[in-house]
Amino acid sequence: LRKRLHLKAYRLSIVQHLTDADKVVRKDFCKFLDFVIFSDESTFHVSGKVNIDNCRIWGSENPRVSLEHVRHSPKVIVFCALSKERVYGPFFFMETTITGSVYLDLIPQLDEDDQEERVHFQQDGAPPHYLGEVREYLNARFPGRWIGRAAPIAWPPRSPDLTPLDSFLWGFVKDRVFVPPLPASVVELRPRITASVAEVTPEMLRSVWQETDYRWDVCSITNEVTLNRNYPR
């Protein structure tokens, strides 16, 4: 393929499409790094995941290979938050669909000592985060200091590269959770998630913060597109 046909193997990369307006918001946003608690949810399926990053099939004929995929695999939705010094959680949602009311019951579980004036709380623009009662709660707990949709500080849309949960935590945890033998049920899945989150050390957080700080610096002084092309969810 390479020598005679001069062909190359390419890998698909999933990227976020940013508009010119997105870039302006991203650039204006990147100035709160030292005092942010980032938060996010992620879904973990019992069936695990298929890693196609290093998969290449070359041949003169279609190998007719099929991969089985489990539909409607049991799952658990996990919430974590991350600051410069610690990881909060994991917190497990018992519901299969997260509503604003369910989310509102969760966020007060973050430690009360994080109300000091310098701390900012970040959430993305997911519909449950937009509930009026959620915004009222955050306005009272983090007055002028929370980041999100319709927040005092706008969270830049389509920007998973600016949060360490997307660029680090979820990939780190899932790489450890989904190792053979895979969990047989949600009951087995939850302790694996808890144990994997507990493996995040202060040294890791320092490295993650240095990388995130770099990303924010680049974003604040340039009109770049995205800094990380693959985000494990």
Side-chain angles (χ1 to χ4, degrees), residues 8-147:
K8 297 180 180 179
Y10 293 93
R11 181 179 68 186
L12 291 177
S13 294
I14 300 174
V15 300
Q16 298 289 334
H17 173 71
L18 296 178
T19 66
D20 291 338
D22 293 338
K23 296 176 184 179
V24 173
V25 178
R26 285 163 59 89
K27 187 172 182 178
D28 291 342
F29 168 75
C30 294
K31 54 187 176 184
F32 303 102
L33 180 63
D34 284 341
F35 312 119
V36 178
I37 298 175
F38 295 94
S39 71
D40 195 17
E41 300 92 8
S42 186
T43 301
F44 290 71
H45 288 268
V46 170
S47 60
K49 62 179 181 179
V50 176
N51 186 347
I52 62 173
D53 286 348
N54 297 318
C55 179
R56 305 289 186 276
I57 300 177
W58 290 12
S60 59
E61 298 180 359
N62 189 329
R64 305 298 178 188
V65 174
S66 62
L67 298 176
E68 293 185 0
H69 177 70
V70 179
R71 297 191 63 186
H72 310 301
S73 168
K75 65 182 180 180
V76 59
I77 302 176
V78 182
F79 174 90
C80 280
L82 186 151
S83 71
K84 193 173 186 177
E85 299 177 348
R86 60 174 295 188
V87 178
Y88 302 79
F91 301 99
F92 297 95
F93 292 102
M94 298 299 104
E95 297 79 3
T96 56
T97 302
I98 306 306
T99 65
S101 298
V102 171
Y103 179 67
L104 182 59
D105 290 337
L106 169 69
I107 52 179
Q109 298 184 51
L110 298 180
D111 290 350
E112 294 298 322
D113 58 4
D114 290 320
Q115 293 192 55
E116 57 182 289
E117 292 184 359
R118 66 176 185 168
V119 172
H120 293 72
F121 176 77
Q122 177 270 338
Q123 62 180 16
D124 61 25
H129 303 167
Y130 189 65
L131 183 71
E133 289 85 347
V134 171
R135 288 179 280 142
E136 290 175 5
Y137 175 84
L138 293 175
N139 282 329
R141 182 168 182 184
F142 300 98
R145 295 181 285 108
W146 66 279
I147 303 160

